[in-house]
């Protein structure tokens, strides 16, 4: 039976939002076409290196998810229940299971260097690269699920006897919650294995990477009901809904974009994901060269984007600078951003080359950045505020370049950049992006991924008609700041 919302009732939804450096469970309360969020639980996340390979602590993550959902249930008014739960995570990573749902292989982290040989091989085989891109619309990038799975199958061939299902991380957590194994479309579109012209898997890509087709079920669209929560008594009866499993897809859904399609979307966090919504993919030689990824929206349409390295640069540089470099409070973060903004803007010739593969997961991020600068005969920054200024200016140039490339390839004109995520809280990054792109940047005070996650739950529950209606209601009450471009 559909869940109806009236002015007298409140619908409660829980968003499980897992990022590569942190996770949270957020409780959403929807009443009178307004959404109120409560952070029930927040926790750090990181991968661990073991004998030269990188792995996620998947059991620890599941423990935190359960803890967060119990806290969300405890935060409800007396007599109220959580109607539904949705899970989104970062892209590409997966769990291999047997028929009983048991893990049969450790869960690797996407920054593991194990894919480098396959990355080089595909990159150096032009005909194969073009065929794979034409089939999937996804460029050759070190973290792709396709390369990860190919390496596992090649180096551990017995896995094809042990594993019977491949669930990507939101799929896996949905399974732990509901007992239903299903692959969701948006997370499937990050893999380089989905057919760019349909909503099913690409047989040519599966064959090239030697991935057994039987491991994957036909992807379901966002909004699919997977069952009810199992083994968490506090959430008995709550529906598990397949929201857009990729956190970027959720973040895009949350943005109150202009209906005329002239807004460019920027989800700024560990990665800067720059893209737009489209009824058709962006393909061809120019798109391949620009590394355009034709990921999907939960309804099956397209979300062409480029993946610009993001605040990962700052996170890892702070590690190199020592514990004192990282601010401990929000006030300290604000002061660091203000101090960095007072420094002169970085001149173009000394900006970081953010396309450098060496920035992906180096032992020392500072050493890679300093090496780039010295090759340009420039002096590295002396302190953390200097690195922050340099990094924000470099990312801003990357955002502007992505905008220009999309306009060139599609003939569209983007009149604004809408930004959500951690970077949206940095006036320095927002202003630098506006200056570089020469269009206004609109920053929303918005838990973007969690809001998009909850929006899709509300649509599935029929409390909201569709995404356009949700964006209209959300935008009417949303705090935003506009950064106008300056010379």
């Amino acid at each position: 039976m559909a869940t109806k919302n009236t002015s007298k009732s409140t619908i409660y939804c829980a968003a499980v939002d897992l990022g590569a450096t942190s996770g949270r469970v957020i409780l959403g309360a929807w009443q009178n076409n307004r959404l109120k969020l409560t952070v029930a639980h927040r926790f750090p996340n990181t991968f661990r290196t073991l004998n030269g390979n990188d792995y996620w602590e998947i059991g620890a993550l599941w423990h935190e998810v359960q803890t967060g959902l119990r806290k969300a249930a405890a935060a409800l008014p007396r007599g109220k229940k959580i109607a539904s739960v949705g899970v989104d995570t970062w892209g590409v990573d997966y769990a291999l299971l047997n028929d009983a749902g048991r893990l049969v292989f450790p869960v690797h982290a996407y920054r593991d260097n194990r894919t480098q040989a396959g990355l080089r091989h595909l990159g150096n085989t032009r005909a194969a690269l073009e065929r794979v891109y034409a089939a999937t619309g996804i460029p050759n990038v070190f973290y792709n699920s396709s390369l990860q799975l190919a390496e596992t199958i090649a180096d551990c061939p017995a896995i094809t006897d042990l594993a019977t299902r491949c669930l990507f991380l939101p799929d896996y957590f949905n399974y732990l919650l509901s007992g239903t194994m299903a692959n969701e479309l948006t997370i499937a579109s990050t893999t380089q294995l989905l057919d760019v012209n349909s909503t099913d898997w690409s047989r040519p890509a599966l064959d090239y990477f030697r991935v057994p087709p039987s491991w994957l079920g036909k992807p379901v669209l966002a909004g699919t009901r997977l069952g009810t929560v199992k083994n968490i008594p506090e959430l008995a009866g709550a529906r598990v809904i397949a929201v857009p499993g990729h956190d970027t897809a959720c973040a895009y859904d949350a943005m109150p974009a202009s209906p005329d399609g002239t807004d460019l979307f920027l989800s700024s966090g560990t990665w800067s994901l720059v893209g737009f919504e489209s009824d058709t993919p962006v393909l061809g030689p120019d798109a391949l060269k620009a590394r355009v990824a034709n990921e999907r929206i939960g309804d099956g349409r397209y979300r062409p984007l480029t993946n610009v390295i993001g605040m990962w640069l700052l996170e890892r540089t702070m590690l190199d600078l020592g514990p004192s470099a990282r601010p401990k409070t929000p006030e300290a973060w604000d002061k660091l951003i203000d101090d960095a903004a007072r420094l002169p803007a970085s001149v173009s010739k000394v900006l970081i080359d953010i396309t450098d593969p060496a920035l992906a997961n180096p032992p020392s991020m500072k050493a890679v950045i300093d090496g780039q600068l010295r090759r340009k005969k420039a002096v590295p920054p002396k302190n953390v505020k200097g690195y922050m200024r340099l990094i924000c200016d470099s990312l801003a140039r990357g955002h502007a370049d992505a905008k220009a490339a999309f306009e060139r390839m599609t003939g569209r004109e983007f009149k604004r950049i809408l930004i959500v995520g951690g970077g949206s809280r940095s006036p320095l990054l927002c202003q630098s992006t506006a200056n570089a792109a020469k269009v206004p940047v609109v920053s929303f005070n918005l838990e973007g991924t969690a809001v998009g996650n909850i929006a899709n739950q509300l649509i599935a529950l029929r409390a909201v008609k569709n995404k356009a209606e949700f964006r209209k209601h959300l935008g009417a009450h949303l705090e935003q700041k506009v950064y106008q471009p300056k010379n």
Side-chain angles (χ1 to χ4, degrees):
M1 181 180 293
T3 301
K4 297 290 185 181
N5 193 23
T6 71
S7 60
K8 296 181 180 180
S9 67
T10 303
I11 294 179
Y12 295 94
C13 302
V16 177
D17 177 26
L18 303 179
T21 57
S22 67
R24 63 260 179 93
V25 176
I26 292 183
L27 179 65
W30 180 258
Q31 185 180 37
N32 294 329
N33 295 325
R34 298 190 70 162
L35 180 64
K36 179 183 177 182
L37 300 181
T38 302
V39 180
H41 188 49
R42 193 183 294 272
F43 49 92
N45 184 33
T46 189
F47 58 81
R48 304 292 182 184
T49 301
L50 180 64
N51 197 28
N53 291 108
D54 298 326
Y55 303 94
W56 296 110
E57 296 185 328
I58 204 73
L61 275 176
W62 173 233
H63 170 78
E64 298 289 3
V65 168
Q66 294 176 90
T67 298
L69 290 173
R70 290 189 177 103
K71 286 183 177 180
L76 293 173
R78 183 183 297 274
K80 300 298 182 180
K81 291 191 174 185
I82 291 175
S84 61
V85 179
V87 181
D88 67 81
T89 79
W90 65 95
V92 304
D93 288 337
Y94 57 85
L96 294 176
L97 313 177
N98 63 14
D99 284 334
R102 188 169 178 175
L103 281 172
V104 296
F105 203 75
V107 179
H108 276 273
Y110 65 82
R111 290 190 187 274
D112 194 315
N113 287 323
R114 68 196 179 113
T115 60
Q116 291 301 315
L119 178 75
R120 288 191 296 270
H121 178 75
L122 180 56
N124 293 331
T125 313
R126 187 71 190 179
L129 179 64
E130 291 175 350
R131 284 198 305 273
V132 169
Y133 189 72
T136 67
I138 301 296
N140 185 33
V141 188
F142 73 92
Y143 50 69
N144 284 344
S145 316
S146 54
L147 294 172
Q148 294 196 58
L149 286 164
E151 189 276 339
T152 294
I153 292 164
D155 282 13
C156 307
I159 196 64
T160 55
D161 295 324
L162 294 171
T164 57
R165 283 302 301 265
C166 176
L167 295 181
F168 302 95
L169 288 192
D171 305 332
Y172 181 56
F173 286 107
N174 282 336
Y175 164 66
L176 294 177
L177 285 167
S178 69
T180 300
M181 293 188 187
N183 295 113
E184 184 275 330
L185 181 67
T186 67
I187 200 72
S189 74
T190 71
T191 65
Q192 205 184 31
L193 296 171
L194 190 74
D195 185 341
V196 72
N197 295 308
S198 77
T199 56
D200 208 343
W201 302 100
S202 165
R203 190 55 188 256
L206 293 174
D207 289 347
Y208 178 83
F209 295 105
R210 300 185 178 181
V211 176
S214 60
W215 281 7
L216 302 161
K218 183 175 180 179
V220 300
L221 296 180
T224 299
R225 300 183 184 191
L226 301 175
T228 55
V229 174
K230 313 292 184 186
N231 303 319
I232 305 178
E234 296 89 339
L235 272 78
R239 297 182 177 94
V240 180
I241 293 173
V243 302
H246 190 204
D247 53 9
T248 306
C250 281
Y252 277 36
D253 281 355
M255 295 191 207
S258 172
D260 65 7
T262 59
D263 287 335
L264 193 67
F265 295 57
L266 169 54
S267 178
S268 172
T270 302
W271 295 93
S272 282
L273 297 130
V274 186
F276 60 100
E277 295 176 333
S278 175
D279 292 335
T280 56
V282 178
L283 297 168
D286 290 344
L288 174 59
K289 184 177 180 181
R291 300 162 72 85
V292 174
N294 289 280
E295 296 182 6
R296 296 300 187 89
I297 304 170
D299 62 9
R301 293 181 301 127
Y302 298 88
R303 201 166 37 79
L305 61 84
T306 56
N307 206 341
V308 179
I309 198 167
M311 298 309 285
W312 173 253
L313 296 178
L314 184 63
E315 287 282 340
R316 303 301 284 186
T317 300
M318 283 181 171
L319 280 181
D320 295 331
L321 293 171
S324 62
R326 184 179 181 83
K328 304 297 190 295
T329 65
E331 294 76 17
W333 271 107
D334 290 343
K335 183 179 186 305
L336 174 58
I337 293 169
D338 289 344
D339 289 346
R342 291 191 184 98
L343 297 176
S346 310
V347 296
S348 59
K349 68 178 181 180
V350 300
L351 293 177
I352 301 166
D353 175 9
I354 57 176
T355 66
D356 184 353
L359 296 170
N361 189 23
S364 170
M365 186 68 76
K366 179 177 179 297
V368 175
I369 292 172
D370 290 355
Q372 278 196 22
L373 294 172
R374 291 192 180 101
R375 287 192 292 275
K376 298 176 182 179
K377 306 202 181 307
V379 178
K382 295 182 174 61
N383 49 40
V384 65
K385 66 181 179 182
Y387 281 101
M388 176 173 272
R389 178 82 218 204
L390 174 64
I391 288 168
C392 286
D393 287 343
S394 301
L395 295 181
R397 172 45 53 195
H399 302 157
D401 289 346
K403 170 182 173 288
F406 279 132
E407 289 179 332
R408 187 172 59 251
M409 285 184 284
T410 65
R412 296 170 72 155
E413 178 186 1
F414 296 105
K415 297 179 180 179
R416 302 189 304 175
I417 296 176
L418 311 184
I419 180 171
V420 294
S424 70
R425 295 189 286 273
S426 169
L428 172 58
L429 181 63
C430 293
Q431 188 62 61
S432 296
T433 298
N435 296 348
K438 297 182 173 57
V439 294
V441 169
V442 184
S443 168
F444 296 105
N445 183 13
L446 177 69
E447 293 274 9
T449 49
V451 170
N453 180 320
I454 292 168
N456 280 274
Q457 293 183 57
L458 292 169
I459 293 166
L461 295 171
R462 300 183 187 174
V464 179
K465 182 179 179 181
N466 52 35
K467 185 166 64 177
E469 181 177 288
F470 179 84
R471 283 173 165 172
K472 179 181 177 182
H473 293 318
L474 183 72
H477 308 288
L478 195 59
E479 181 184 338
Q480 63 184 52
K481 183 172 182 180
V482 180
Y483 297 83
Q484 295 292 345
K486 299 177 182 178
N487 293 330

